[in-house]
């Protein structure tokens, strides 16, 4: 079979050694070393704030480790020079979003919608009382609280 | 007959060589025999048979709804299906019965398709192995194929065979396994970072990711609103074109679908690629790409050149950042999208009653697995006021750079890009789970993700078997909304490579040999 002379890289058949996903392999754009700023540990305040915002907890140190790694991974973005580049929200940005006429075309499905909820009273979804700050019960102390 | 293509079986239905009920029953029986694959979460036996009966009545009257009337299909479990449990393989939605059909599901049902069941996936479609759902991992049917068994080192007893099974890839692994093991003729998946093309490559089926905005996402439980698309999995490119024709088009319920008219098309019988320009992006020679796939990629490029196409090397310089960019944007959108799961209106609800927030926190703690929670927390971190510009907006800017890369390449006269789909063939499950979900996703999505960033259509075409007897596929990426050209090239390529049919004992037992003569034509 005739080998295509597309480039030495394609014919070589040698695979470069696999680099771990988190280490950048020297993108030449920004001109500085691809090491990034020294890794800062996320403070306990931020971690608690995150737990409160997300209403999910880290569960254990592995969860926090995961976040640290995620941040470290994301730091690679800073190597790219994005001066003068506009952020992109959507690939369809040069089109107009479809807006339909303000006519009622469907609805009246109260029964179906209520069926999936566990606690309802007549046509209401029932929630426990609001305006109470999230306080951890004794048994539910998260890892963070325990580590303070 | 179960091993024939969708168009072939549709012709058989039309000519009365088989009835929809027979076909449905055979598929259901095969699903039972292949239960060990764990491809299906819910099998809707009763409703499927009812739908098949209706289809039979219509066909007897000579009034079929179309080419899909009576064809058994499967749908990934993150599409809403009225009256059928939709779980997203998560504890959060276990027992959730959707009150409505996703638009794509509705379209299929309106054309008479028979819904066999909901397929397994990674929890909330987050993952690249279909191993992280609460219903367990999906096994690749090729693990049980003659081709794979022949190449494995013979073990002393069959128990070790259990250890050797390979993953399907993800996250639409269940759908890919269902199509690959002949239990259905087409399946719906979803594609956010390669979730349709990755399992398609590992399971040896065609996986199409349409252009963003072509097919409605209404009813698809969202992961990343700006990148999700419903994906199509079939056994051949022509079938993918049929499915695309039935699903594409503007949907008033999804304002991110484009309003242009979509005309369903048929692909030419003898596609011609001699006038095309094929681009080979050099950055897709990623670290870790197996030498087998590299050589297949090179041979494929030769095939095109020998056919008269212009094959050029191109550059997409920001490819290496697509995974990082995806990581930030995905987690940010996930953090937002998962906020709807609070236990109040649907889904799992914790018993904690002290306050709204504590109930929400407990519900989410109980309902989500580590992967989902990890992404929610990371996403919230990147969206914090102090990090918003640094991470989220920065990622959006990098996204534009990636999309521009493609724009430049297509603008310079290249019609289609040819790249590998995965870095290697499917790995054994025991090996796959040694790394965590995020690492695996970062490694495996590297070749497929950029197409989602830019919203471009892409397709995986099964190419050849690896040395271990497992499928390897190659990916074609096309211009926005140019699916016809993309599928034409894919069809031409498919004809050239003649990918072998999987030799699966269970399927052979269930088949009556009606289409035996077809089988010999496609053996490589």
């Amino acid at each position: 079979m005739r080998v295509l002379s597309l480039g030495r890289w394609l014919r070589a058949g040698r695979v470069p050694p696999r680099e771990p996903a988190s280490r950048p392999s020297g993108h030449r754009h920004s001109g500085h070393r691809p090491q990034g700023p020294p890794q800062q540990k996320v403070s306990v305040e931020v971690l608690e704030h995150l737990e409160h915002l997300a209403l999910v907890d880290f569960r254990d140190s592995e969860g926090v480790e995961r976040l640290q790694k995620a941040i470290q991974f994301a730091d690679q973005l800073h190597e790219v020079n994005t001066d003068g580049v506009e952020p992109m929200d959507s690939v369809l940005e040069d089109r107009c979003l479809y807006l339909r006429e303000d006519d009622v075309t469907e609805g009246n499905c109260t029964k179906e919608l209520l069926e999936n909820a566990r606690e309802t009273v007549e046509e209401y979804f029932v929630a426990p009382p609001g305006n109470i700050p999230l306080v951890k019960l004794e048994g539910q102390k998260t890892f963070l609280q325990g580590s303070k | 007959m179960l091993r024939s293509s969708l168009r072939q079986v549709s012709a058989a239905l039309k000519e009365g060589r088989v009835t929809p009920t027979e076909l449905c029953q055979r598929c259901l029986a095969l699903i039972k025999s292949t239960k060990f694959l764990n491809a299906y979460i819910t099998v809707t036996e009763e409703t499927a048979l009812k739908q098949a009966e209706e289809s039979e009545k219509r066909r007897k009257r000579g009034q079929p709804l179309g080419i899909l009337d009576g064809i058994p299909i499967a749908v990934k479990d993150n599409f809403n299906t009225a009256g059928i449990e939709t779980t997203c393989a998560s504890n959060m939605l276990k027992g959730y019965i959707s009150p409505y059909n996703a638009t794509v599901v509705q379209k299929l049902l309106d054309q008479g398709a028979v819904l066999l069941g909901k397929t397994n996936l990674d929890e909330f479609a987050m993952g690249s192995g279909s191993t992280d759902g609460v219903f367990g991992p999906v096994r690749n049917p090729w693990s049980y194929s003659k081709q794979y068994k022949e190449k494995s080192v013979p073990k002393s007893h069959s128990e070790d065979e259990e250890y050797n099974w390979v993953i399907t890839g993800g996250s639409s692994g269940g759908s890919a396994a269902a199509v690959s093991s002949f239990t259905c003729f087409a399946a719906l998946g979803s594609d956010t970072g390669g979730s349709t093309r990755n399992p398609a490559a590992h399971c040896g089926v065609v996986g199409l990711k349409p252009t963003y905005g072509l097919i409605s996402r209404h009813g698809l439980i969202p992961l990343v609103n700006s990148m999700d698309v419903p994906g199509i999995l079939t056994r051949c490119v022509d079938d993918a074109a049929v499915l695309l024709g039935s699903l594409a088009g503007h949907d008033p319920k999804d304002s991110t679908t484009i309003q242009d008219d979509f005309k369903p098309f048929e692909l030419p019988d003898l596609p011609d690629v001699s006038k095309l320009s094929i681009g080979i992006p050099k950055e897709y020679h990623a670290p870790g790409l197996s030498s087998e796939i590299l050589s297949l990629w090179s041979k494929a490029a030769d095939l095109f050149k020998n056919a008269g196409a212009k094959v050029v090397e191109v550059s997409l310089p920001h490819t290496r950042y697509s995974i990082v960019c995806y990581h930030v944007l995905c987690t940010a959108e996930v953090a937002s999208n998962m906020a709807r799961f609070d236990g109040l209106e649907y889904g799992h609800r914790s018993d904690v009653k002290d306050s709204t927030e504590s109930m929400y926190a407990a519900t989410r703690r109980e309902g989500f697995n580590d992967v989902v929670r990890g992404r929610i927390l990371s996403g919230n971190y990147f969206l914090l006021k102090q990090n918003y510009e640094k991470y989220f907006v920065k990622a959006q800017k990098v996204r534009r750079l990636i999309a521009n890369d493609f724009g430049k390449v297509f603008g310079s006269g290249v019609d289609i890009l040819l790249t590998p789909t995965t870095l290697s063939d499917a790995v054994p499950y025991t090996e796959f789970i040694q790394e965590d979900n995020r690492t695996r996703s970062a490694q495996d999505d590297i070749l497929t993700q950029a197409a989602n960033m830019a919203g471009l259509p892409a397709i995986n075409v099964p190419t050849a078997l690896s040395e271990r007897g497992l499928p390897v596929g190659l990916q074609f990426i096309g211009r926005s909304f140019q699916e016809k050209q993309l599928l034409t090239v894919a069809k031409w390529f498919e004809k050239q490579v003649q990918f072998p049919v999987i030799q699966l004992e269970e399927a052979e037992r269930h088949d009556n040999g009606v289409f035996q003569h077809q089988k010999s034509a496609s053996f490589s």
Side-chain angles (χ1 to χ4, degrees), chain A residues 4 9 27 57 75 79 86, chain B residues 302 313 321 365 391 400:
Chain A
L4 186 66
W9 57 272
H27 186 81
D57 55 32
D75 280 332
E79 293 168 20
E86 283 297 302
Chain B
D302 286 344
E313 185 187 285
Y321 294 106
R365 182 176 217 258
Y391 289 101
R400 182 178 295 285

Side-chain angles (χ1 to χ4, degrees), chain B residues 310-329:
Chain B
K310 186 168 146 209
V311 181
V312 287
E313 185 187 285
V314 295
S315 176
L316 298 167
H318 295 93
T319 303
R320 69 169 78 249
Y321 294 106
S322 117
I323 283 294
V324 190
C325 188
Y326 175 66
H327 168 72
V328 174
L329 293 178

Side-chain angles (χ1 to χ4, degrees), chain A residues 54-130:
Chain A
L55 288 179
V56 290
D57 55 32
F58 284 96
R59 199 163 279 185
D60 54 23
S61 61
E62 215 187 294
V64 179
E65 251 308 292
R66 212 177 287 139
L67 177 67
Q68 290 283 167
K69 285 210 194 107
I71 300 171
Q72 195 180 8
F73 190 61
D75 280 332
Q76 290 173 78
L77 277 181
H78 302 308
E79 293 168 20
V80 187
N81 184 347
T82 51
D83 293 339
V85 180
E86 283 297 302
M88 178 185 242
D89 296 310
S90 163
V91 293
L92 300 176
E93 58 189 0
D94 44 7
R95 293 173 185 257
C96 276
L97 202 64
Y98 171 71
L99 292 175
R100 66 188 181 96
E101 290 302 312
D102 191 10
D103 293 324
V104 175
T105 52
E106 57 181 16
N108 285 327
C109 47
T110 320
K111 193 163 137 306
E112 285 92 339
L113 292 179
L114 287 172
E115 259 167 17
N116 275 308
R118 226 184 73 172
E119 286 183 40
T120 57
V121 164
E122 291 179 22
E123 291 188 346
Y124 291 89
F125 294 111
V126 180

Side-chain angles (χ1 to χ4, degrees), chain B residues 39-53:
Chain B
Y40 287 82
I41 294 179
T42 311
V43 181
T44 51
E45 199 166 325
E46 277 179 31
T47 46
L49 287 168
K50 247 190 238 130
Q51 287 164 357
E53 268 174 43

Side-chain angles (χ1 to χ4, degrees), chain B residues 379-493:
Chain B
N380 275 304
Y381 179 82
F382 297 132
L383 291 172
L384 288 176
K385 235 197 299 208
Q386 67 252 40
N387 294 330
Y388 195 80
E389 279 288 330
K390 235 176 40 164
Y391 289 101
F392 185 67
V393 177
K394 181 83 182 181
Q396 287 189 312
K397 292 181 179 177
V398 176
R399 182 176 184 179
R400 182 178 295 285
L401 290 175
I402 295 172
N404 285 350
D405 277 354
F406 281 104
K408 280 195 205 108
V409 164
F410 285 127
S412 71
V414 170
D415 297 301
I416 301 275
L417 295 171
L418 165 64
T419 78
T421 315
T422 51
L423 293 175
S424 70
D425 56 3
V427 297
Y429 176 68
T430 45
E431 193 185 306
F432 186 78
I433 50 175
Q434 311 232 336
E435 295 270 12
D436 72 271
N437 185 294
R438 188 183 63 78
T439 316
R440 281 297 181 197
S441 301
Q443 291 164 349
D444 299 333
D445 286 345
I446 212 160
L447 301 169
T448 48
Q449 214 299 304
N452 293 84
M453 273 297 162
L456 300 171
I459 186 170
N460 169 76
V461 180
T463 308
L465 292 183
S466 69
E467 262 173 31
R468 289 161 65 214
L470 294 171
V472 164
L474 289 178
Q475 174 179 232
F476 294 95
I477 306 175
R479 291 199 180 105
S480 278
F481 303 109
Q482 300 301 315
E483 271 80 355
K484 184 165 183 189
Q485 187 180 59
L486 179 69
L487 289 172
T488 306
V489 174
K491 180 170 176 176
W492 180 87
F493 186 67

Side-chain angles (χ1 to χ4, degrees), chain A residues 1-7 9-19 21-22 24-29 40 42 46-47 49-59 62-63 66-67 69-71 73-82 85-93 95-100 106 112-120 125-135 137 140-142, chain B residues 96-99 212-213 226 250 252-253 255-260 280 282 285 287-291 294 297-299 301-302 305-306 311-313 317-318 320-321 323-325 327-328 344-347 349-362 364-366 368 370-371 373-374 376-378 380-382 384 386 390-391 393-401 403 423 438 442-443 453-455 481:
Chain A
M1 174 161 312
R2 193 178 64 169
V3 176
L4 186 66
S5 51
L6 207 49
W9 57 272
L10 200 49
R11 254 188 310 190
R14 254 185 303 125
V15 179
R18 190 190 189 117
E19 289 157 277
S22 52
S25 28
H27 186 81
R28 283 174 277 282
H29 246 172
Q40 297 150 323
V42 185
V46 172
L47 291 172
H49 184 47
L50 279 180
E51 279 196 339
H52 199 152
L53 276 180
L55 288 179
V56 290
D57 55 32
F58 284 96
R59 199 163 279 185
E62 215 187 294
R66 212 177 287 139
L67 177 67
K69 285 210 194 107
I71 300 171
F73 190 61
D75 280 332
Q76 290 173 78
L77 277 181
H78 302 308
E79 293 168 20
V80 187
N81 184 347
T82 51
V85 180
E86 283 297 302
M88 178 185 242
D89 296 310
S90 163
V91 293
L92 300 176
E93 58 189 0
R95 293 173 185 257
C96 276
L97 202 64
Y98 171 71
L99 292 175
R100 66 188 181 96
E106 57 181 16
E112 285 92 339
L113 292 179
L114 287 172
E115 259 167 17
N116 275 308
R118 226 184 73 172
E119 286 183 40
T120 57
F125 294 111
V126 180
N131 269 335
I132 299 175
L134 185 65
V135 169
L137 293 183
Q140 274 189 302
K141 253 193 183 171
T142 63
Chain B
Y96 167 70
I97 312 274
S98 318
Y212 179 85
S226 62
H250 176 63
K253 293 185 187 166
S255 56
T256 57
T257 50
I258 57 157
Q259 296 160 60
D260 303 355
I280 311 279
K282 62 181 190 202
H285 184 175
L289 187 66
S290 82
S291 46
L294 185 60
W297 188 17
S298 174
K299 286 197 197 138
D302 286 344
K305 187 143 191 208
N306 292 340
V311 181
V312 287
E313 185 187 285
H318 295 93
R320 69 169 78 249
Y321 294 106
I323 283 294
V324 190
C325 188
H327 168 72
V328 174
L344 264 188
E345 291 152 20
Y346 45 75
R349 178 175 174 145
S350 150
D351 289 326
V352 170
K353 290 197 229 291
D354 321 296
S355 71
T356 331
E357 287 206 358
S358 64
M359 189 276 277
Y360 289 174
R364 290 156 73 83
R365 182 176 217 258
E366 293 159 22
F368 290 140
D370 286 345
V371 178
R373 282 180 311 123
I376 294 174
L377 288 163
S378 307
N380 275 304
Y381 179 82
F382 297 132
L384 288 176
Q386 67 252 40
K390 235 176 40 164
Y391 289 101
V393 177
K394 181 83 182 181
Q396 287 189 312
K397 292 181 179 177
V398 176
R399 182 176 184 179
R400 182 178 295 285
L401 290 175
L423 293 175
R438 188 183 63 78
Q443 291 164 349
M453 273 297 162
F481 303 109

